[in-house]
Amino acid sequence: MTRTTVIVGSSVGGVRTAQALRRAGYDGEVVLVGEERTLPYDKPPLSKAMLAGTTTPDAIALLTEQAAAEAGIRLMLGRPATRLHVDERIVELAGGERLTFDDVVIATGVRARPSPWGTPPGVHVVRTLDDAVALGTALRRGGPLVVIGAGFIGAEVAATARGLGLEEVTVVDPVPVPMSRVLNPAVAERFARLHADRGVDMRFGVGVSGIDQVSDGLAVRLTDGATLPAATVVVGIGAIPNDEWLRSSGLQIDNGVVCDENSRAVGAPHVHAVGDVARWFHPRHGSLVRVEHWTNAVEQAACVAHNIVHPDRPRAYEPVEYVWSDQYDWKIQLAGRTGDDLAHVTVEGADPTRTFAVLYADPEGGFSGAVTVNWPRALITCRRALAATHTLDEVRRTVEATLKPAAAAAAG
C-alpha cells in the first residue's frame, strides 16, 4: 500500500520538507497543504527587497506548479487545516475535507502578533506577501512612518523606508536598545547608532498608549506623553505560533508543538514539526527551544524528511543557530547563542566603522556564538568553531588572524 505524508504549511519549512522527502528516496504520496492561495514564496525578502521594489513575487517563489508536478508533490493551496486527529491519522480542512496520512508534518509557522491598539487604515504588519505589497504601496505614497518594535522586522522596515526616501521615520520600543532578544545592550548600541546616523528617530524606553485616526492620517500616542504624526504605522512586536488548530489534537502544545530531539511530537512518533511552530528538545542545549529563523526551517526539514524515510534510525536535530539581517549597507549575521548576559569581546575589522565581530562565551568560557557585520571570513571562522569545542580566546585569536592578509596587502 502506498504511504502518504501530509505536510500542513506551505512556507519554507513545508516546501523544503516535501523536496527533502523526494531527495531522500520517499516514493509515497506527498501532499502539501497551504492556507494561502498564493504559490509558496520566501519570506525574508518581504521586509527588505519586496518593500524596496527590487524583487518581484515570481522572483521569491519557492515552488512552481510545474516543479511540484515534476517532484510528485500534490498542492492543496487556499485550504487551511482546522483539526488534526492524531489516532485516526486524519487532517481535517476547512469545509470538512479529510486527508488520511501515515505521517504528518506540522509546518504552519507563526503569524505576526496583532496590534493591541486597533487597526485603523494605515496600520500594517509584515508577515505575508499581501502584507508586503500593501505596505510597499503605502510607503511610496510618502509621509511620516512610525515603526513600533525594534526587532529584526522593525529595523529592516525602517532601513528600507529610508532607502525609499522617506524623510520622517521613527522607531519606538520600550526596551533600551534594538534587537534586544539577541544583542546585549553594549553591542546593540552600535546598531542604534547605525539607524540614528541615517536619519531615523530612535525612541527607546517608551511605549505606545494608543493609535488614533485623525483628519490627516494617524496619531501615535506614546507613554511619555508625546504624540507622533504618521501616514503609516508598522507594528512589529513579535510573532505567535500557528498552533490553535491543534488544540483538540491531544498533542502537547506550549509555545508551539512540543517535540523530542528527533522533531517528533511527544507521544506521537508519526507526527513531526518543522520551522517556527516546532518547539523541540535541543540536545546541544539540553532544553526545549523554538527558533524563528529561515535556516532553521530548512535544516529541520531535511532532518524530518530523513526520519520519515528512515524511522528505524532517526537523527537528532541539534543545529547551530544562524540568522542574518540586511540593514542599509550592513550585512548582519548571527551564529550560535548571543546576547543576554553572556561574556563577550569585540574584534574590530579592517574598517571598524562598518566591519566588526562580537564573540560570546558561555559561563564556562567556551565559545557560544558570534555577531559579525560585513565580515564573511570572520563568520565562516565562527561557524566552524561552533561545530567543535573552543574557548572564546581561541576563537578571538583565529578571527584576528583573518585580518593579517588584508593588512599585508595594504602594506604592500
Side-chain angles (χ1 to χ4, degrees):
M1 181 178 294
T2 301
R3 295 173 64 196
T4 298
T5 294
V6 174
I7 302 167
V8 184
S10 59
S11 193
V12 63
V15 171
R16 292 293 189 256
T17 302
Q19 294 169 328
L21 281 169
R22 292 307 189 207
R23 286 195 299 271
Y26 185 81
D27 59 2
E29 185 177 16
V30 177
V31 183
L32 183 64
V33 177
E35 181 175 14
E36 293 184 66
R37 295 184 180 277
T38 309
L39 283 166
Y41 56 88
D42 217 2
K43 289 189 173 178
L46 297 183
S47 57
K48 301 181 282 278
M50 276 299 300
L51 290 187
T54 57
T55 193
T56 64
D58 288 344
I60 65 172
L62 290 170
L63 188 67
T64 64
E65 291 183 352
Q66 180 179 347
E70 291 173 351
I73 300 169
R74 180 155 67 100
L75 296 178
M76 298 186 69
L77 303 178
R79 316 283 283 281
T82 56
R83 293 187 70 185
L84 176 65
H85 304 270
V86 173
D87 293 336
E88 296 90 341
R89 302 199 181 198
I90 291 172
V91 174
E92 189 172 330
L93 307 183
E97 187 173 2
R98 295 157 73 90
L99 304 175
T100 59
F101 60 83
D102 295 281
D103 287 276
V104 64
V105 180
I106 300 166
T108 43
V110 296
R111 64 187 181 278
R113 190 177 297 278
S115 164
W117 310 285
T119 56
V123 176
H124 299 256
V125 296
V126 185
R127 189 65 200 175
T128 69
L129 180 59
D130 287 345
D131 292 338
V133 170
L135 177 56
T137 300
L139 294 180
R140 284 171 177 77
R141 286 197 292 263
L145 167 67
V146 175
V147 179
I148 305 173
F152 280 114
I153 293 294
E156 290 170 356
V157 169
T160 302
R162 288 292 293 138
L164 288 170
L166 270 71
E167 295 183 356
E168 296 181 63
V169 177
T170 305
V171 175
V172 179
D173 201 309
V175 302
V177 290
M179 296 179 286
S180 58
R181 288 175 58 189
V182 293
L183 299 176
N184 50 294
V187 176
E189 283 291 348
R190 296 183 75 152
F191 295 93
R193 289 197 301 272
L194 167 70
H195 287 273
D197 289 347
R198 285 158 175 78
V200 177
D201 182 7
M202 307 297 281
R203 303 281 188 104
F204 291 114
V206 61
V208 173
S209 58
I211 303 174
D212 301 321
Q213 191 169 7
V214 294
S215 59
D216 56 350
L218 298 166
V220 180
R221 290 182 282 109
L222 305 185
T223 54
D224 64 0
T227 298
L228 302 174
T232 304
V233 173
V234 175
V235 178
I237 55 174
I240 303 171
N242 288 319
D243 55 21
E244 289 83 358
W245 69 284
L246 300 166
R247 295 298 177 183
S248 65
S249 67
L251 297 177
Q252 188 175 341
I253 306 299
D254 182 10
N255 185 30
V257 182
V258 179
C259 299
D260 63 14
E261 68 273 15
N262 305 122
S263 298
R264 297 180 299 199
V266 171
H270 55 287
V271 178
H272 316 258
V274 303
D276 298 357
V277 75
R279 186 165 179 246
W280 83 100
F281 182 82
H282 195 309
R284 185 187 298 269
H285 302 316
S287 61
L288 290 171
V289 300
R290 188 175 68 81
V291 179
E292 296 175 13
H293 298 164
W294 185 95
T295 306
N296 176 71
V298 172
E299 294 177 348
Q300 196 166 28
C303 181
V304 164
H306 169 89
N307 293 345
I308 291 173
V309 175
H310 304 287
D312 54 330
R313 43 190 177 94
R315 292 177 183 165
Y317 182 56
E318 44 186 336
V320 172
E321 298 88 342
Y322 171 72
V323 65
W324 76 93
S325 178
D326 296 313
Q327 299 174 30
Y328 309 104
D329 58 346
W330 282 25
K331 182 77 171 184
I332 305 162
Q333 296 172 288
L334 295 83
R337 291 205 154 179
T338 62
D340 297 324
D341 55 355
L342 296 174
H344 64 278
V345 297
T346 300
V347 180
E348 304 293 352
D351 178 1
T353 63
R354 61 183 307 275
T355 306
F356 61 92
V358 185
L359 314 178
Y360 291 83
D362 60 29
E364 289 74 40
F367 178 57
S368 68
V371 178
T372 68
V373 175
N374 298 328
W375 197 350
R377 293 187 66 186
L379 177 74
I380 292 170
T381 297
C382 292
R383 294 189 76 177
R384 287 174 177 167
L386 287 166
T389 302
H390 294 278
T391 66
L392 177 63
D393 286 340
E394 288 172 338
V395 178
R396 176 181 54 78
R397 288 193 294 269
T398 305
V399 170
E400 288 174 342
T402 67
L403 288 170
K404 293 179 179 178

